[in-house]
Amino acid sequence: MNTKDKRGNSQPSQTEKIATVRKLSKLWAKKYVQQHSTSEKTWQSNSTGLRAVIAQRLLDSLRTVMIQAWTKTEALLCQEIKRQGINYRLIDPWQITKDTYSVYEKVLLAYSDQVSPERLCLFLSSDLGRIRQNYTTIDPRVIAFVSMQFHYSGQLLLKSLSPQEQATVRVYFQVIDDCLYMPLQRLYKTAANYDHQSLALVSLRQLLPDQILIAQQIATRISDLHPNYHCHSGSLVNPTVQAASIRDVEMFQIYLWLCVLERSIAPIQQELFPLCVMLYPTLNVGWELVRQMIHLLGLEFGKRLSRQQFALVLPYFKVLWDMFSPEVFPEPLPVEMLENSA
C-alpha cells in the first residue's frame, strides 16, 4: 500500500520498494543468461571437479596476482594523482587489494560451486555496491584506481588459463566489472522511491533488458568506423577492448537513467565526467570516439522510447553531449574517420 509524504504525494511502501529493487536486479541479471545462452551447455558440461581444479589454481595465485595488478594500476595512474589534484591519502593500496582479493575469492568459489552468473550477480551486487560507495563518497575519482585494480587482477587471472577455460570463467568476472563500474545499487534504490506505474520507472524497465544489445551495436558500429584505431590495450576489435567498450556504453546508459531518476545532473557532473577525464586520455581513448558513442546512444534511445519517454532523458542527454563537446575537448578527427566519412 502506498503512503503519503509531507506534501501529500503518494509514496511506495517498504514492501513495494523492496519489490522494485528485486525486479530491476533480476532484469539486469538476466542479461548474463541472454548474452551467454550459447555457453550454457559448456557451464553444465564442466564437472564440479574440473571447476574446482580451475578455481583452486586461481585461488592459489590470487595473492601474487593482487600485487602484480597493483603494480600495473600504479604505473598507469600514479601521475594522475598529482595531475588531477587527488588527495593521495584517499588511495589506500592495502585496502583496495584486500577488497579485490575478497571479491575474487567469492567469485571463484561461486564458480567452483556451479553458481550461475545470474545468481552471482544477484548476491554479489550489494557487496560491490558497498565497495563502490565506500570509495566514491569523498572523491568519486578514487573508483578509477579500484576499477583498474579489479580489471588487471581479472586479466592476469585469465591469462593463466587456456582459451576454453577462459570462456567459462570470463562471464563470472564480467559480473564484477558491471557492478563496480556502474552505480547499479544506487539506481535500484532510487527507482524504489517511484510509483510502479510512473513514466520514469516504466521507461527504465522497458529499456533495461536491451542495455547489452544497445551497447554491443554501438561498440560494433564504432569499431567498424575506425578499423585502424588503437587504444592502450589494442585495436577496437581486440576482445578485451571490445568488452571494455561494451561495458562503457552500458555505464553511460546507467548514468543517464540515474540522472533521470534523481532529477539531477550530479551523477554525470560529479562522477562519470571526472572518471572519463582521468581514464580516457591515459587509455588513449579519443574524445571523438566518446562523442560518437553518445550520438549513437541518443539515436538508440530515440528509436526505442516514445516521444514522451525520451523527453525525460533528453535534458540529461544534452548535458552529457555538452560536457564532451568539441568546445570542451577540441580534437582533430583521426585520419581513418575522415576517410570513412568521405
Side-chain angles (χ1 to χ4, degrees):
M1 181 180 295
N2 286 3
T3 58
K4 301 282 186 178
D5 62 17
K6 292 181 179 178
R7 297 180 179 179
N9 297 320
S10 179
Q11 292 290 306
S13 67
Q14 188 62 28
T15 301
E16 290 170 326
K17 288 181 179 182
I18 293 171
T20 296
V21 170
R22 291 185 64 184
K23 185 163 187 175
L24 291 176
S25 300
K26 287 180 180 179
L27 278 176
W28 182 269
K30 281 180 180 178
K31 79 168 193 166
Y32 299 104
V33 175
Q34 296 164 354
Q35 185 180 356
H36 301 277
S37 57
T38 56
S39 303
E40 189 171 357
K41 290 182 180 178
T42 306
W43 299 341
Q44 298 299 328
S45 64
N46 278 347
S47 68
T48 303
L50 178 58
R51 283 183 173 236
V53 169
I54 295 171
Q56 190 58 56
R57 195 194 326 155
L58 295 178
L59 285 166
D60 290 342
S61 66
L62 209 49
R63 291 184 184 276
T64 302
V65 163
M66 294 298 108
I67 296 170
Q68 293 173 341
W70 183 254
T71 300
K72 291 171 72 70
T73 299
E74 199 165 37
L76 182 73
L77 295 176
C78 64
Q79 296 300 321
E80 295 302 312
I81 297 176
K82 183 180 292 185
R83 187 177 296 127
Q84 301 292 333
I86 301 172
N87 185 344
Y88 73 92
R89 292 186 178 88
L90 298 175
I91 313 297
D92 185 347
W94 307 112
Q95 187 60 50
I96 292 173
T97 52
K98 179 181 177 181
D99 288 336
T100 310
Y101 184 99
S102 174
V103 170
Y104 271 103
E105 184 179 44
K106 289 179 182 178
V107 170
L108 291 171
L109 291 173
Y111 170 78
S112 177
D113 291 340
Q114 301 272 18
V115 175
S116 71
E118 181 183 14
R119 283 185 57 208
L120 176 64
C121 180
L122 290 174
F123 77 73
L124 192 64
S125 60
S126 58
D127 288 346
L128 285 164
R130 283 192 296 271
I131 290 174
R132 180 185 169 84
Q133 185 176 12
N134 289 341
Y135 288 105
T136 57
T137 299
I138 298 176
D139 189 336
R141 294 172 297 179
V142 175
I143 198 66
F145 292 83
V146 183
S147 299
M148 293 312 300
Q149 171 69 9
F150 272 90
H151 171 73
Y152 282 132
S153 297
Q155 291 300 308
L156 289 167
L157 289 168
L158 288 172
K159 190 176 180 180
S160 67
L161 301 177
S162 70
Q164 185 178 6
E165 291 169 341
Q166 288 181 17
T168 65
V169 176
R170 183 177 282 109
V171 61
Y172 286 80
F173 289 0
Q174 186 187 336
V175 175
I176 300 174
D177 278 356
D178 285 357
C179 296
L180 192 67
Y181 275 82
M182 305 176 208
L184 289 172
Q185 286 298 307
R186 182 174 165 188
L187 181 78
Y188 301 154
K189 290 177 182 177
T190 306
N193 294 317
Y194 279 75
D195 181 81
H196 188 70
Q197 295 303 321
S198 67
L199 184 62
L201 199 52
V202 169
S203 303
L204 175 61
R205 289 200 306 268
Q206 177 182 320
L207 225 55
L208 198 60
D210 292 338
Q211 292 269 129
I212 183 65
L213 179 61
I214 292 171
Q216 287 171 337
Q217 290 176 345
I218 291 176
T220 299
R221 177 61 177 153
I222 291 176
S223 64
D224 288 344
L225 286 170
H226 307 284
N228 301 318
Y229 194 97
H230 279 68
C231 62
H232 179 76
S233 300
S235 70
L236 296 180
V237 295
N238 177 290
T240 300
V241 176
Q242 199 167 46
S245 300
I246 292 169
R247 183 203 60 227
D248 281 7
V249 181
E250 289 190 273
M251 178 176 69
F252 271 67
Q253 292 180 73
I254 292 297
Y255 270 103
L256 271 172
W257 283 117
L258 188 57
C259 286
V260 171
L261 295 179
E262 292 189 354
R263 301 185 181 95
S264 168
I265 65 169
I268 291 174
Q269 189 179 52
Q270 297 175 10
E271 293 188 22
L272 179 63
F273 182 75
L275 185 64
C276 292
V277 169
M278 185 163 69
L279 283 182
Y280 282 161
T282 305
L283 297 173
N284 194 32
V285 176
W287 296 117
E288 191 58 37
L289 296 183
V290 180
R291 285 191 283 270
Q292 280 192 333
M293 181 260 285
I294 295 171
H295 172 70
L296 292 171
L297 189 56
L299 294 180
E300 288 293 331
F301 272 48
K303 285 192 303 186
R304 297 167 185 271
L305 296 173
S306 70
R307 184 173 298 181
Q308 188 181 14
Q309 289 173 318
F310 188 61
L312 290 173
V313 183
L314 189 57
Y316 307 104
F317 178 81
K318 287 180 176 178
V319 168
L320 190 63
W321 177 260
D322 289 343
M323 293 187 77
F324 289 96
S325 68
E327 288 77 18
V328 178
F329 297 109
E331 182 179 81
L333 291 174
V335 173
E336 70 272 12
M337 187 183 296
L338 293 172
E339 292 173 350
N340 285 322
S341 62

